[in-house]
């Protein structure tokens, strides 16, 4: 099991506070070039965000991927170990929501903005979880990166058993009744109305085509 698989969806069993992360992300955001494009690829764990973004980057010239989990999972898990916590509790403390999560998301956001040059498409991959329900994050981010363009693509969860198989394939927990409770919690989170909803109950090539259409 890799670090990303251990972290996925941990906020389902915690008391999320999105406000510190919203502030940190907006503080980190910077204006990009007029023809650059930032695409936030978000959604629950195990829906195929990383796989879809990687293939998109191969298909679209002048594009790159920044995967938040790959840059941050290690330090979040180590911080939990340093506090004597199990990996499943990495998202379960006020310290995480007040201190660690703002760093976890602000760093990749700053890196993404640094890459908004020329005609580049930057795919920033992350769950975003409870932050998806805060309209001021997305309207503020759009303003901060102007004149670059912002798109938010939310990959929706597939039917439960398909989702369970995908979670198992990546090494994430999927036993009952934990998985059913997890799925109910993460899919109950509100999603900003400006996000484009992408179904994932189809082969990957179909998901990618829908994403391409949304980014055109």
């Amino acid at each position: 099991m890799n670090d990303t698989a251990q972290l996925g969806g941990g906020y389902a069993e915690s008391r999320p506070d999105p406000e510190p992360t919203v502030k940190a992300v907006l503080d980190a955001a910077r204006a990009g070039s007029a023809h650059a494009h930032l695409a936030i690829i978000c959604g629950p764990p195990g829906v195929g965000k990383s796989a879809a973004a990687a293939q998109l980057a191969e298909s679209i010239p002048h594009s790159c991927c920044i995967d938040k989990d790959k840059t941050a999972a290690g330090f979040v898990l180590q911080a939990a170990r340093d506090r004597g916590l199990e990996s499943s509790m990495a998202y379960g403390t006020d310290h995480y929501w007040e201190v660690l999560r703002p760093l976890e998301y602000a760093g990749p956001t700053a890196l993404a903005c640094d890459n908004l040059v020329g005609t580049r498409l930057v795919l920033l991959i992350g769950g975003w979880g409870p932050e998806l329900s805060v309209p001021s994050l997305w309207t503020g981010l759009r303003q901060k990166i102007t004149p670059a363009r912002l798109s938010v693509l939310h990959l929706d969860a597939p039917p439960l058993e398909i989702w369970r198989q995908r979670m198992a394939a990546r090494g994430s927990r999927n036993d009952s009744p934990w998985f059913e409770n997890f799925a109910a919690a993460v899919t109950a989170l509100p999603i900003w109305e400006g996000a484009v909803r992408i179904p994932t109950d189809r082969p990957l090539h179909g998901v990618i085509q829908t994403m391409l259409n949304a980014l055109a």
Side-chain angles (χ1 to χ4, degrees):
M1 182 183 291
N2 60 38
D3 284 350
T4 301
Q6 291 182 58
L7 268 181
Y11 51 79
E13 297 178 343
S14 65
R15 297 179 299 175
D17 178 6
E19 291 305 324
T21 299
V22 168
K23 181 180 185 305
V25 167
L26 292 178
D27 286 346
R30 296 291 183 270
S33 297
H35 299 291
H37 187 173
L38 174 61
I40 304 290
I41 311 299
C42 55
V47 297
K49 298 185 297 294
S50 296
Q55 290 203 23
L56 275 178
E58 291 181 1
S59 304
I60 301 175
H62 310 297
S63 62
C64 67
C65 286
I66 298 172
D67 192 326
K68 185 276 303 177
D69 282 345
K70 291 181 180 177
T71 63
F75 90 73
V76 173
L77 285 165
Q78 187 59 51
R81 297 184 195 109
D82 289 345
R83 296 169 70 87
L85 301 174
E86 297 290 334
S87 297
S88 60
M89 288 298 296
Y91 286 170
T93 67
D94 291 342
H95 177 72
Y96 169 76
W97 290 97
E98 294 169 4
V99 178
L100 298 181
R101 189 173 179 91
L103 296 172
E104 182 183 10
Y105 277 86
T109 299
L111 180 59
C113 290
D114 285 346
N115 279 276
L116 289 174
V117 297
T119 59
R120 184 172 292 163
L121 168 67
V122 180
L123 304 166
L124 178 55
I125 310 160
W128 292 92
E131 291 81 16
L132 286 167
S133 68
V134 183
S136 61
L137 169 60
W138 308 107
T139 57
L141 185 58
R142 176 170 285 156
Q143 292 171 358
K144 291 294 289 283
I145 70 169
T146 297
R149 176 183 169 198
L150 174 69
S151 296
V152 179
L153 306 187
H154 185 276
L155 273 63
D156 292 343
L160 197 65
E161 289 309 310
I162 295 175
W163 194 5
R164 189 197 304 272
Q165 292 169 16
R166 293 179 185 175
M167 292 286 277
R170 66 178 243 164
S172 295
R173 185 174 178 182
N174 60 91
D175 56 286
S176 295
W178 180 90
F179 180 71
E180 288 79 1
N181 294 332
F182 153 84
V186 299
T187 55
L189 294 168
I191 298 167
W192 178 52
E193 63 180 12
V196 178
R197 306 288 292 270
I198 307 292
T200 63
D201 57 345
R202 60 188 71 181
L204 184 58
H205 65 82
V207 174
I208 292 167
Q209 186 58 57
T210 305
M211 295 172 75
L212 283 168
N213 294 342
L215 293 172

